[in-house]
Amino acid sequence: MERDTPWISYYNYDATLGHGEFNSFSEVSDEENKAVVSMDSILPDELLERILSYLPIASIFRASCVCKKWHEIVTSKRFSLTLAHVLVNKPWYFMFTSSNESIGYAYDPTLRKWYGIDLPCFVTSNWFVASSCGLVCFMNNDNRSELHVYNPITRSSKRLVEPPSLKLSDYSALSISVDRKSQGYNVSIVKSKQVPENFYQWNLSIHIYDSDTMMWVTSLTEVLTGWRGGDESVICDSVLYFLIYSTGVGMPDCRHGLIRYNLSSRSSHGLLMRNFIPAPCSLTCGRLMNLKEKLVMVGGIGKQDRSDIIKGIGVWVLNGTEWQEVARMPHKYFQGFGEFDDVFASSGTDDLIYIQSYGAPTLLVFDMKQKRWKWSQKCPVTKRFPLQLFTGFCFEPRLEISP
């Protein structure tokens, strides 16, 4: 499939100032140029910098192509510091266009446009993904020992040191949390492996990476009976949350549960099940996300007589130890996905939640603040064969943060 030139190719954030040619996104005739009055001759640099900082990310990229002076402003360190204190752009959603290539499109809900973006060449749709405050963490799915932290906008990246004792785990859940002030970050991996010859007992361990020390720490190891870990986790307000799944012992009516683990205290002893919170209903799947330091779960609601068949999608917020349902997908949107599997992709941050069916490139957006459902603009991706799968992830577009 041919792709338009990625918008990011017009702009090299790490380029040396004053070098390179600038390509305009739209041509202006000579007659129009005669009537143009340069803002540079009217506005002081500080005010111009402030105005540019309030533009959407894509518009900032285009502004950097206008002239040498604007490029110098946009690529300056002072501009990066200014961006850190202005309103944050709405989160984008990246959708993979291929299962074995690192290419895709990112949706900007502010301008309602899709942009072609290439991820690092080694990343594919089957890698584990987690994001926070402009940084995205990728972990390979083969041996789960290769991790990279990456900014999709500036393309800056860092490979992390190999985590301890993570190879050959049956299930792994990845999450990342960025401190918006210091821009330091923690990466966590919850590993779950079946005890040999015992289906009901599972070894569970929590591993934490600190960007300041650049080291991993195995924070906890424990054996769960009747429950196992999975691939869903998120960090909210220094608390690690992850879903666990019933192996058929204990509470047969409760297939999903939530565990809380305080990253501040990082207790290495005690029973995790003391911090167990049951799922709000019979779920076909659950997706965890951090929306303004509140834990939100999007889940497929199973039928009463067939819990493995999805009949709707709900949104819940965790208040203390109780789930509060805040929204349920209207039936017209649920039908709009066509054939909906019992599992689906969903991620979000700030006030937006994205929901995507694995079977189609259709994307639905839910605004938590306005309680409004809305389809995205049609994605340029088309389904090329019946079994083609689609997936993606949400991230904040930010210029000022790097791994």
Side-chain angles (χ1 to χ4, degrees):
M1 175 181 175
E2 296 185 359
R3 301 169 71 248
D4 295 333
T5 302
W7 62 274
I8 200 168
S9 67
Y10 289 91
Y11 175 75
N12 183 0
Y13 194 72
D14 296 320
T16 303
L17 298 183
H19 293 272
E21 297 180 356
F22 300 95
N23 299 315
S24 175
F25 276 75
S26 59
E27 297 182 357
V28 181
S29 68
D30 291 336
E31 290 297 320
E32 290 173 327
N33 282 331
K34 293 177 182 178
V36 172
V37 177
S38 173
M39 284 199 299
D40 299 345
S41 62
I42 301 175
L43 301 177
D45 289 352
E46 292 79 7
L47 183 56
L48 180 58
E49 178 183 285
R50 191 70 176 174
I51 293 172
L52 292 175
S53 69
Y54 280 92
L55 293 175
I57 287 289
S59 299
I60 291 176
F61 275 72
R62 291 184 173 91
S64 71
C65 301
V66 170
C67 63
K68 180 179 178 180
K69 183 173 182 179
W70 284 27
H71 185 276
E72 290 175 346
I73 289 175
V74 169
T75 55
S76 68
K77 185 176 181 180
R78 190 175 71 174
F79 185 73
S80 295
L81 296 175
T82 300
L83 283 176
H85 295 91
V86 299
L87 296 175
V88 179
N89 284 265
K90 290 183 178 180
W92 290 12
Y93 188 84
F94 179 89
M95 186 183 298
F96 285 96
T97 61
S98 172
S99 59
N100 55 8
E101 293 180 301
S102 58
I103 60 175
Y105 287 91
Y107 179 66
D108 176 359
T110 301
L111 301 180
R112 291 181 59 78
K113 290 184 177 181
W114 290 88
Y115 303 107
I117 290 185
D118 294 346
L119 298 178
C121 60
F122 47 80
V123 174
T124 59
S125 61
N126 70 338
W127 280 49
F128 292 85
V129 183
S131 69
S132 173
C133 192
L135 295 183
V136 181
C137 185
F138 298 103
M139 180 173 71
N140 71 328
N141 194 32
D142 296 330
N143 56 26
R144 302 173 190 182
S145 62
E146 181 181 346
L147 287 97
H148 300 259
V149 178
Y150 181 72
N151 184 325
I153 301 299
T154 65
R155 290 179 170 177
S156 58
S157 65
K158 178 181 180 179
R159 179 168 180 173
L160 305 186
V161 295
E162 186 172 321
S165 306
L166 280 176
K167 295 181 179 179
L168 304 177
S169 61
D170 295 320
Y171 296 93
S172 297
L174 176 70
S175 57
I176 181 174
S177 177
V178 178
D179 186 302
R180 294 180 183 270
K181 292 183 179 179
S182 68
Q183 297 190 358
Y185 56 88
N186 289 324
V187 176
S188 75
I189 304 174
V190 180
K191 171 190 172 183
S192 185
K193 185 172 179 61
Q194 184 180 348
V195 174
E197 300 181 0
N198 188 333
F199 179 76
Y200 299 112
Q201 288 191 318
W202 290 73
N203 289 311
L204 189 141
S205 57
I206 299 175
H207 309 268
I208 308 295
Y209 175 85
D210 190 320
S211 64
D212 294 331
T213 63
M214 294 186 292
M215 295 177 59
W216 288 93
V217 174
T218 300
S219 185
L220 178 143
T221 58
E222 190 170 313
V223 177
L224 299 182
T225 300
W227 296 88
R228 63 163 179 82
D231 57 3
E232 277 296 316
S233 68
V234 71
I235 299 173
C236 294
D237 197 21
S238 298
V239 177
L240 171 64
Y241 297 90
F242 56 93
L243 290 179
I244 58 175
Y245 306 83
S246 172
T247 59
V249 178
M251 294 180 283
D253 294 334
C254 184
R255 297 175 58 207
H256 295 68
L258 181 75
I259 295 291
R260 296 182 301 179
Y261 180 72
N262 194 319
L263 294 177
S264 299
S265 60
R266 295 192 185 182
S267 174
S268 59
H269 60 276
L271 296 175
L272 281 175
M273 295 305 292
R274 291 177 180 174
N275 298 310
F276 176 86
I277 300 173
C281 65
S282 178
L283 299 178
T284 63
C285 72
R287 305 299 183 207
L288 303 178
M289 54 201 75
N290 180 343
L291 270 63
K292 296 184 174 179
E293 300 306 323
K294 294 285 290 183
L295 177 67
V296 174
M297 180 170 69
V298 177
I301 304 171
K303 291 185 177 181
Q304 189 171 3
D305 56 337
R306 289 286 305 277
S307 59
D308 59 331
I309 298 179
I310 187 171
K311 68 174 184 179
I313 292 179
V315 181
W316 295 267
V317 174
L318 185 67
N319 291 322
T321 59
E322 300 293 330
W323 291 105
Q324 176 188 356
E325 183 173 332
V326 295
R328 188 167 294 200
M329 183 186 293
H331 191 62
K332 66 176 183 179
Y333 292 106
F334 185 74
Q335 286 184 316
F337 279 104
E339 184 179 350
F340 215 126
D341 295 328
D342 58 345
V343 292
F344 53 87
S346 182
S347 60
T349 188
D350 194 31
D351 285 322
L352 296 187
I353 295 174
Y354 292 97
I355 301 175
Q356 179 190 359
S357 168
Y358 286 138
T362 309
L363 185 64
L364 183 64
V365 187
F366 177 63
D367 190 311
M368 282 280 288
K369 187 175 182 180
Q370 300 179 7
K371 298 293 186 293
R372 184 177 64 183
W373 300 85
K374 191 173 185 178
W375 295 110
S376 72
Q377 289 293 98
K378 185 178 180 181
C379 181
V381 182
T382 56
K383 192 166 186 174
R384 291 172 289 177
F385 51 90
L387 297 181
Q388 183 177 0
L389 299 179
F390 300 89
T391 187
F393 60 88
C394 173
F395 70 96
E396 294 181 44
R398 301 181 75 97
L399 290 171
E400 77 281 5
I401 190 166
S402 62

